Coordinates of all heavy atoms in Angstrom, one line a residue:
Q26 N -28.2 32.8 -11.2 CA -28.8 33.3 -9.9 C -28.1 32.4 -8.8 O -27.4 31.4 -9.1 CB -30.3 33.1 -9.9 CG -30.7 31.6 -10.1 CD -31.9 31.6 -10.9 OE1 -32.1 32.4 -11.8 NE2 -32.7 30.5 -10.8
P27 N -28.3 32.8 -7.5 CA -27.6 32.1 -6.4 C -27.9 30.6 -6.4 O -29.0 30.2 -6.6 CB -28.2 32.7 -5.2 CG -28.5 34.1 -5.6 CD -29.0 34.0 -7.0
V28 N -26.8 29.8 -6.3 CA -27.0 28.3 -6.3 C -26.4 27.8 -5.0 O -25.4 28.1 -4.6 CB -26.2 27.7 -7.4 CG1 -26.2 26.2 -7.4 CG2 -26.5 28.3 -8.8
D29 N -27.2 27.0 -4.3 CA -26.8 26.4 -3.0 C -26.2 25.0 -3.3 O -26.7 24.2 -4.0 CB -28.0 26.2 -2.0 CG -28.4 27.6 -1.5 OD1 -27.6 28.5 -1.6 OD2 -29.5 27.7 -0.9
I30 N -25.0 24.8 -2.6 CA -24.4 23.5 -2.8 C -24.2 22.9 -1.4 O -23.6 23.5 -0.5 CB -23.0 23.5 -3.5 CG1 -23.2 24.2 -4.8 CG2 -22.4 22.2 -3.6 CD1 -21.9 24.4 -5.5
E31 N -24.8 21.7 -1.2 CA -24.6 21.1 0.2 C -23.3 20.3 0.3 O -22.9 19.6 -0.7 CB -25.8 20.1 0.4 CG -27.0 20.8 0.9 CD -28.1 19.9 1.5 OE1 -27.7 18.9 2.2 OE2 -29.3 20.1 1.1
L32 N -22.6 20.5 1.4 CA -21.4 19.7 1.6 C -21.6 18.5 2.5 O -22.6 18.5 3.2 CB -20.4 20.7 2.3 CG -20.0 21.9 1.5 CD1 -18.9 22.7 2.2 CD2 -19.4 21.5 0.1
P33 N -20.7 17.5 2.4 CA -20.9 16.3 3.3 C -21.1 16.6 4.7 O -21.8 15.9 5.4 CB -19.6 15.5 3.0 CG -19.1 16.0 1.7 CD -19.5 17.4 1.6
D34 N -20.5 17.7 5.2 CA -20.6 17.9 6.7 C -21.8 18.7 7.1 O -22.0 19.2 8.2 CB -19.3 18.6 7.2 CG -19.1 20.0 6.5 OD1 -20.0 20.4 5.7 OD2 -18.1 20.7 6.8
G35 N -22.7 18.9 6.1 CA -24.0 19.6 6.4 C -24.0 21.1 6.1 O -24.9 21.8 6.1
N36 N -22.7 21.7 5.9 CA -22.7 23.1 5.5 C -23.2 23.3 4.1 O -23.2 22.4 3.3 CB -21.2 23.5 5.5 CG -20.7 23.9 6.9 OD1 -21.5 24.4 7.6 ND2 -19.4 23.8 7.2
V37 N -23.7 24.5 3.9 CA -24.2 24.9 2.6 C -23.3 26.1 2.0 O -23.2 27.1 2.7 CB -25.7 25.3 2.6 CG1 -26.1 25.7 1.2 CG2 -26.5 24.1 3.1
L38 N -22.9 26.0 0.8 CA -22.2 27.1 0.1 C -23.1 27.7 -0.9 O -23.8 27.0 -1.6 CB -20.9 26.6 -0.6 CG -19.7 26.1 0.2 CD1 -18.6 25.7 -0.7 CD2 -19.3 27.1 1.3
T39 N -23.2 29.0 -0.9 CA -24.0 29.7 -1.9 C -23.1 30.4 -3.0 O -22.4 31.3 -2.6 CB -24.9 30.7 -1.2 OG1 -25.7 30.0 -0.2 CG2 -25.9 31.4 -2.2
L40 N -23.3 29.9 -4.2 CA -22.5 30.6 -5.3 C -23.4 31.6 -6.0 O -24.6 31.3 -6.3 CB -22.2 29.5 -6.3 CG -20.9 28.7 -6.1 CD1 -20.9 27.6 -7.2 CD2 -19.6 29.5 -6.2
E41 N -22.8 32.8 -6.2 CA -23.6 33.9 -6.8 C -23.0 34.4 -8.1 O -21.8 34.3 -8.2 CB -23.8 35.0 -5.8 CG -24.4 34.6 -4.5 CD -24.6 35.7 -3.5 OE1 -25.3 36.6 -3.8 OE2 -24.0 35.6 -2.4
P42 N -23.8 34.9 -9.0 CA -23.2 35.5 -10.2 C -22.5 36.8 -10.0 O -22.9 37.6 -9.2 CB -24.5 35.7 -11.1 CG -25.6 35.8 -10.2 CD -25.3 35.0 -9.0
L43 N -21.4 37.0 -10.6 CA -20.6 38.2 -10.5 C -21.2 39.4 -11.2 O -21.9 39.2 -12.2 CB -19.2 38.0 -11.0 CG -18.3 37.0 -10.3 CD1 -17.0 36.7 -11.1 CD2 -17.9 37.6 -8.9
E44 N -21.1 40.6 -10.7 CA -21.7 41.7 -11.3 C -20.6 42.9 -11.4 O -20.0 43.2 -10.4 CB -22.9 42.3 -10.6 CG -24.1 41.4 -10.7 CD -25.3 42.0 -10.0 OE1 -25.2 43.2 -9.5 OE2 -26.4 41.3 -9.9
R45 N -20.5 43.6 -12.5 CA -19.7 44.8 -12.5 C -20.5 46.0 -12.1 O -21.7 46.0 -12.4 CB -19.1 45.0 -14.0 CG -17.9 44.2 -14.4 CD -16.7 44.3 -13.6 NE -15.8 45.4 -13.9 CZ -14.6 45.2 -14.6 NH1 -14.2 44.0 -14.9 NH2 -13.8 46.2 -14.8
S46 N -19.9 46.9 -11.4 CA -20.7 48.1 -11.0 C -21.1 48.9 -12.2 O -20.6 48.8 -13.3 CB -19.8 49.0 -10.0 OG -18.7 49.4 -10.8
S47 N -22.0 49.9 -11.9 CA -22.6 50.6 -13.1 C -21.5 51.5 -13.8 O -21.5 51.7 -15.0 CB -23.7 51.6 -12.6 OG -23.2 52.3 -11.4
N48 N -20.4 51.9 -13.0 CA -19.3 52.7 -13.6 C -18.3 51.7 -14.3 O -17.3 52.2 -14.9 CB -18.6 53.6 -12.7 CG -17.9 52.9 -11.5 OD1 -17.8 51.7 -11.5 ND2 -17.3 53.7 -10.6
G49 N -18.5 50.4 -14.1 CA -17.6 49.4 -14.7 C -16.3 49.2 -14.0 O -15.4 48.5 -14.4
R50 N -16.1 50.0 -12.9 CA -14.7 50.0 -12.3 C -14.6 49.0 -11.1 O -13.5 48.8 -10.6 CB -14.3 51.4 -11.9 CG -14.2 52.4 -13.0 CD -13.9 53.8 -12.5 NE -12.7 53.9 -11.8 CZ -11.5 54.2 -12.5 NH1 -11.5 54.3 -13.8 NH2 -10.4 54.3 -11.8
R51 N -15.7 48.5 -10.7 CA -15.7 47.6 -9.5 C -16.4 46.3 -9.8 O -17.2 46.2 -10.7 CB -16.4 48.3 -8.3 CG -15.7 49.5 -7.8 CD -16.4 50.1 -6.6 NE -16.2 49.4 -5.4 CZ -15.2 49.5 -4.6 NH1 -14.3 50.4 -4.8 NH2 -15.2 48.8 -3.4
L52 N -16.1 45.3 -9.0 CA -16.7 43.9 -9.2 C -17.3 43.5 -7.9 O -16.7 43.7 -6.8 CB -15.6 42.9 -9.6 CG -16.1 41.5 -9.9 CD1 -17.0 41.4 -11.1 CD2 -14.9 40.6 -10.1
G53 N -18.5 42.9 -7.9 CA -19.1 42.5 -6.7 C -20.3 41.5 -7.0 O -20.3 40.9 -8.0
L54 N -21.2 41.4 -6.0 CA -22.4 40.6 -6.2 C -23.6 41.6 -6.0 O -23.4 42.7 -5.7 CB -22.5 39.5 -5.2 CG -21.2 38.6 -5.1 CD1 -21.3 37.7 -3.8 CD2 -21.0 37.8 -6.3
K55 N -24.8 41.0 -6.2 CA -26.0 41.9 -6.0 C -26.0 42.3 -4.5 O -25.8 41.5 -3.6 CB -27.2 41.0 -6.3 CG -28.5 41.9 -6.4 CD -29.6 41.0 -6.9 CE -30.8 42.0 -7.0 NZ -32.0 41.2 -7.5
N56 N -26.0 43.6 -4.3 CA -26.1 44.2 -2.9 C -24.8 43.9 -2.1 O -24.9 43.7 -0.9 CB -27.3 43.8 -2.2 CG -28.6 44.1 -2.9 OD1 -28.6 45.2 -3.6 ND2 -29.6 43.3 -2.9
F57 N -23.7 43.7 -2.8 CA -22.5 43.3 -2.0 C -21.3 43.9 -2.7 O -20.9 43.6 -3.9 CB -22.3 41.8 -2.0 CG -21.2 41.3 -1.1 CD1 -21.3 41.3 0.3 CD2 -20.0 40.8 -1.6 CE1 -20.3 40.8 1.1 CE2 -19.0 40.3 -0.9 CZ -19.1 40.3 0.5

């Protein structure tokens, strides 16, 4: 599931799990 990582400068990166589309031909994230 999405993981937040804090950076030293105060920014936050969100890592998300990859998902293949239902037809298996595309790659994305949930709702992306």
